[in-house]
Amino acid sequence: MLDRRTIFPTYKPPALDIVSGSGVTVTASDGREYLDFIAGIAVNSLGHCHPALVGALQRQSEKLWHLSNMFDVSGQRELAARYCDASFADAVFFTNSGAESVECALKAARRFHHANGAEDRIKVIGFEGAFHGRTYASINAAGNPNYLKGFGPALPGYGQVPFADLDALRGAVDDATAAVILEPVQGEGGVRPFTDDQLRAVRRICDDAGALLIFDEVQSGAGRTGKLFAYEWSGVAPDIMALAKGVGGGFPLGLCAATKDVAQHMVVGTHGTTYGGNALAMAVGLAVMDEMQRPGFLDHVNAVAAHLRKGLNGLHAKHGYAVRDVRGKGLLLGLEMTIPNIAVRDFARDNGLIVGVAGGNVVRLAPPLIVSEAQADTAVAILDRAIAAAAS
């Protein structure tokens, strides 16, 4: 067992010492190989040690690492323009993580109303089951009591309605509401997607009330659902979007993207970061974007996603006593279990497959977007054995 006494006990990892990775495979110190179907929780979007990312990082590391945003950082303007050209956004703010991207989004929403003479519009309405990060504001935005417990009083101005309950949302949104925040596909909440119709309805509710719409695409963005951004499936766009995880391919990188109407009020002194948008992150982020915008890349994601989902549906049909549902979008998929999801996860890991778990007793799959159909078949075969063993 690895000695973790000098590390905060906020995590309890298994006795598995992973020392290297290549593509969709990682290798432990004892030489055992594992298929990685959680990808650092949807972070390693291009797999482990992708040569384009390794090359970009190596080249940049020999030129310049860090300046801070006191200066014009090389790569920021180019990467910002790439994301604006590919999305609804007119401007971005670079961060190091998803939680920081969400924090920026929340501040930008309130600042927008303040700048437009509506200082009292501070309410942010979210949905139960959401996960927006672990900072103080983001845990209040999500409202999960397990994450709020022990950290003092709840922050004012945050509230939640039941997942996808549009009537409840209409009742909650009023002239004091600054924004509605949601994940197009809830990750930690059980891999639960909003339907396209529901996203369009939320957009209308916000428009009717004069509230902004924030999409937290920290997990569902960066090609994860088969489009560069999950909101594209619905045909409606948010006013603000938080991104991270897959945009850096494993290097810490996030961003908050917004329309000009919102971004113009985040002036000097309203927000900042020391490490966010550093030269190393920009080099890797540009390499990730290059790969994701290559012709056929997203076609591959959609093809493998359909193949994997077909295999998971087969597990549902075979193990209906143990698998209640298959859900998700693209390569962010979940198996809702009637047996303990942790037992399935642990058996799978012991037999060469790394998967995750999520709320609602769900086994979560988020493999690298470069995964092959053959690797998907191997994962399904191991899950088949894992479900049978966990149910016995």
Side-chain angles (χ1 to χ4, degrees), residues 323-346:
V323 182
R324 179 177 286 125
D325 190 23
V326 178
R327 59 195 190 211
K329 201 171 185 70
L331 285 174
L332 179 55
L333 295 168
L335 293 172
E336 183 186 5
M337 311 301 300
T338 63
I339 59 176
N341 58 355
I342 291 175
V344 176
R345 178 201 65 187
D346 291 352

Side-chain angles (χ1 to χ4, degrees), residues 120-381:
D120 293 335
R121 296 199 75 149
I122 67 164
K123 284 174 53 179
V124 177
I125 307 299
F127 289 89
E128 293 174 359
F131 181 82
H132 299 302
R134 296 280 193 164
T135 61
Y136 197 31
S138 61
I139 60 175
N140 277 269
N144 186 326
N146 293 326
Y147 298 154
L148 288 165
K149 183 179 179 181
F151 297 110
L155 289 176
Y158 292 96
Q160 295 78 35
V161 297
F163 175 76
D165 189 331
L166 300 179
D167 289 335
L169 181 64
R170 291 187 188 94
V173 173
D174 56 24
D175 57 7
T177 302
V180 172
I181 184 170
L182 64 85
E183 303 158 272
V185 183
Q186 285 192 348
E188 296 290 329
V191 196
R192 298 190 295 183
F194 285 83
T195 68
D196 293 342
D197 285 343
Q198 288 166 343
L199 292 180
R200 288 189 283 265
V202 173
R203 176 75 269 182
R204 289 193 296 270
I205 292 168
C206 289
D207 290 343
D208 291 345
L212 299 178
L213 177 57
I214 302 170
F215 281 171
D216 177 348
E217 291 225 28
V218 169
Q219 191 159 166
S220 63
R224 177 58 51 186
T225 68
K227 289 187 181 291
L228 199 56
F229 313 108
Y231 78 79
E232 295 179 85
W233 293 104
S234 69
V236 297
D239 302 291
I240 310 172
M241 177 172 63
L243 290 170
K245 290 189 182 289
V247 301
F251 195 93
L253 171 62
L255 58 104
C256 175
T259 63
K260 179 181 179 180
D261 288 345
V262 174
Q264 66 181 333
H265 302 299
M266 297 297 283
V267 296
V268 174
T270 59
H271 199 53
T273 175
T274 298
Y275 291 108
N278 66 74
L280 294 171
M282 295 302 93
V284 176
L286 282 164
V288 171
M289 194 60 141
D290 285 344
E291 294 299 314
M292 290 192 175
Q293 290 188 319
R294 287 189 187 281
F297 181 87
L298 292 176
D299 292 335
H300 169 80
V301 173
N302 284 302
V304 177
H307 185 81
L308 176 57
R309 186 156 197 149
K310 182 179 179 181
L312 297 179
N313 285 334
L315 296 181
H316 182 207
K318 180 178 180 180
H319 303 286
Y321 59 90
V323 182
R324 179 177 286 125
D325 190 23
V326 178
R327 59 195 190 211
K329 201 171 185 70
L331 285 174
L332 179 55
L333 295 168
L335 293 172
E336 183 186 5
M337 311 301 300
T338 63
I339 59 176
N341 58 355
I342 291 175
V344 176
R345 178 201 65 187
D346 291 352
F347 183 94
R349 184 181 65 241
D350 291 344
N351 286 270
L353 174 67
I354 298 174
V355 296
V357 294
N361 199 33
V362 167
V363 173
R364 176 169 39 170
L365 289 79
L369 305 182
I370 61 168
V371 66
S372 69
E373 291 187 357
Q375 289 167 326
D377 289 340
T378 300
V380 170

